[in-house]
Amino acid sequence: MSDDGQPAPGRGYRKGPVLLRGRQIPTTTSDQRLLSGPSGGAAWLHDDPWRVMRIQSEFVEGFGALAEVGPAVSVFGSARTRPGSPEYVVATEVARRLVEAGYAVITGGGPGIMEAANRGAKEAGGVSIGLGIELPFEQGMNDWVDLGVNFRYFFARKTMFVKYSEGFIVLPGGFGTLDELFEALTLVQTHKVIEFPIVLVGRAHWQGLLDWITGPVVAAGLISPVDRELIQVVDTAEDAVRVVLERGAELRAAEEAATAQAEAAQEAADAASDEP
């Protein structure tokens, strides 16, 4: 299946580094087995510690594979989007412009918008990355991925998106896309990560969600009005990449200013300590 639960033809089922086909494909995923409660007995006492080792290996593999990709931006969107559709074309253009600006492109590695972004990155001569996930009847990595990493666990995969991305560009999508969007928003709002750019592409598609956020959600005091400013909305690939570049420049300037301030403070402290 795709990330949003749609049946999709595949090349087998990946369980970490293992490829399974036919009757070897399990009926549950690693996430299901991890999150299921004890079903009687104490077998979970023996199974869960080994799962910790698998989880650790996923982080090690992911960190090792992505550590040297350089600056990157994640592009999210529906697995259902058809080649040649307006959204597919925009995603391809977004990725091409990101590569021209010096970024690698990271997607979930599947079809639809993910394929379009990987295609745009590869055709532009950039680094095209896919972070796949273990799902029943998984569709496999799309053919435009140059660097692919498959994960058993969603939370390990999400960590890689956040750790190695300097921004998120989000095109129309379903539950999986919304999950990734709100994960990023929550991390930025709670200051768990720096305020990297989060850009929604397609104002007509996203307007209903934005009206709900700025209307009932703000009115009920569930978020602050300023939180809406964490999201930028555009209609073109050019504007999406421009927002990423402008925010990246702001963050670099702020970091350089903070570094200079810290160095000046240290020099002043050193000078004061040298005085008799």
Side-chain angles (χ1 to χ4, degrees):
M1 288 187 183
S2 66
D3 275 13
D4 57 0
Q6 290 299 297
R11 304 168 187 168
Y13 176 93
R14 289 202 173 273
K15 187 177 179 183
V18 179
L19 174 64
L20 302 173
R21 287 181 173 149
R23 295 181 180 178
Q24 294 297 316
I25 297 176
T27 58
T28 60
T29 67
S30 294
D31 273 314
Q32 285 175 310
R33 294 188 291 276
L34 171 67
L35 298 175
S36 63
S39 57
W44 63 275
L45 288 171
H46 307 288
D47 294 340
D48 283 355
W50 283 106
R51 288 195 179 102
V52 172
M53 300 298 290
R54 295 192 201 104
I55 292 167
Q56 178 180 328
S57 72
E58 293 217 329
F59 283 108
V60 171
E61 290 290 343
F63 293 157
L66 302 175
E68 299 181 0
V69 300
V73 172
S74 287
V75 179
F76 297 127
S78 176
R80 307 187 193 192
T81 303
R82 299 295 184 186
S85 67
E87 293 82 6
Y88 190 101
V89 172
V90 171
T92 305
E93 179 70 7
V94 163
R96 182 185 68 79
R97 288 178 176 273
L98 286 171
V99 168
E100 291 174 350
Y103 288 100
V105 173
I106 304 176
T107 79
I113 293 296
M114 295 173 279
E115 175 190 296
N118 287 129
R119 178 174 184 170
K122 185 175 177 66
E123 289 182 340
V127 180
S128 177
I129 301 167
L131 305 182
I133 186 67
E134 173 196 311
L135 292 169
F137 310 109
E138 183 185 356
Q139 74 275 9
M141 290 286 179
N142 67 66
D143 291 335
W144 302 96
V145 170
D146 289 326
L147 172 58
V149 185
N150 277 298
F151 292 89
R152 287 185 175 95
Y153 301 103
F154 266 113
F155 59 84
R157 181 196 194 209
K158 286 181 177 181
T159 298
M160 301 303 151
F161 280 125
V162 175
K163 179 173 176 60
Y164 294 103
S165 296
E166 296 187 4
F168 286 169
I169 294 179
V170 189
L171 285 93
F175 286 154
T177 302
L178 292 172
D179 177 52
E180 290 152 348
L181 167 61
F182 281 102
E183 173 96 3
L185 282 171
T186 301
L187 291 171
V188 172
Q189 183 205 39
T190 56
H191 305 290
K192 289 293 186 180
V193 297
I194 61 174
E195 196 174 317
F196 52 67
I198 301 171
V199 188
L200 306 183
V201 183
R203 194 178 305 272
H205 173 83
W206 295 109
Q207 193 60 53
L209 175 65
L210 297 174
D211 290 343
W212 174 69
I213 290 173
T214 56
V217 179
V218 171
L222 302 177
I223 64 171
S224 300
V226 70
D227 290 336
R228 166 62 181 82
E229 298 176 10
L230 299 177
I231 311 170
Q232 301 294 317
V233 190
V234 301
D235 281 317
T236 67
E238 180 181 6
D239 286 340
V241 176
R242 175 184 54 78
V243 171
V244 170
L245 294 178
E246 290 177 353
R247 182 58 182 156
E250 291 174 0
L251 292 173
R252 284 190 295 273
E255 183 178 359
E256 291 170 359
T259 299
Q261 184 177 8
E263 290 175 350
Q266 185 60 52
E267 290 175 359
D270 292 342
S273 65
D274 290 339
E275 293 179 358

